[in-house]
Amino acid sequence: MTDDDRIKLEPSWKAHIGDWLQRPDMRELSAFLRQRKAAGARIYPPGPQIFAAFDATPFDAVKVVILGQDPYPTVHHAHGLCFSVLPGVEIPRSLQNIYKELQADLGVPAADHGYLMPWAQQGVLLLNSVLTVEDGRAGAHQGKGWEGFTDHAIETLAREREGLVFLLWGSYAQAKGKVIDTRRHRVLRAPHPSPLSAHRGFLGCGHFSATNQYLAQKGQAPIDWRLPPREQLAT
């Protein structure tokens, strides 16, 4: 897909979905990204972090999938995991609401940062539908080819794995999750945690406890949703 050798798909994901990157629409996407970069556009996240969600959570390690829309269009925010920001960056409001629900649901205190890598390393795939964006232009790379790739990733997971939990927050994620067989997986739906919609049912949804209950029923270790303090993070 790309001429940049720094961008590589994690081996287990490459084995399952790597062929998709050779499709003409993905080559067109690669050309588009190069053109935008040549035109001076600031693209987030940085190239080596575009596939960070796959790097952090290999195919066979996935237990839970959280779907986002596209990366934060602000410098230093996007690093390849949906809803997550690097340590030291102000916690986005949607993530603040996620923390509020975690505390109400499981008594987990809000973290002093927005870095969700510890979740990803336990098997929570934090996947955006669109993997790149431009500075100050939310949605700038929608409709350029990423959606087909991430749809394929979700479809492949749903087909080849069993007993996963899919957390679909908001209409966009719910539409993207229509391919998931609810007889083989647990699909939990709620409004988006954005301040514009969280009060319409995200707050109070109980998804974190429901996720762990389902994993326990399947003989899987629950997710420890607590995040270590910022000073203990390894980035």
Side-chain angles (χ1 to χ4, degrees), residues 95-112 116 119 208-209 212 223-228:
L95 185 53
Q96 291 178 27
N97 285 329
I98 291 172
Y99 286 170
K100 285 180 184 178
E101 176 55 24
L102 259 175
Q103 186 153 17
D105 188 15
L106 289 173
V108 172
D112 61 356
L116 304 183
W119 293 358
F208 300 102
S209 59
N212 282 350
I223 303 299
D224 183 356
W225 297 103
R226 296 171 298 177
L227 292 166

Side-chain angles (χ1 to χ4, degrees), residues 3 27-43 134 141 144:
D3 295 331
R27 294 184 183 278
E28 291 173 7
L29 170 61
S30 181
F32 166 78
L33 294 174
R34 289 195 300 270
Q35 289 164 2
R36 294 301 301 142
K37 188 174 182 180
R42 288 186 289 176
I43 296 175
E134 293 180 19
H141 292 181
K144 302 299 183 181

Side-chain angles (χ1 to χ4, degrees), residues 8-9 24 163 220:
K8 295 183 183 296
L9 192 60
Q220 298 279 333

Side-chain angles (χ1 to χ4, degrees), residues 190-212:
H192 195 277
S194 160
L196 299 175
S197 55
H199 63 282
R200 297 204 295 262
F202 176 80
L203 297 174
C205 68
H207 281 185
F208 300 102
S209 59
T211 293
N212 282 350

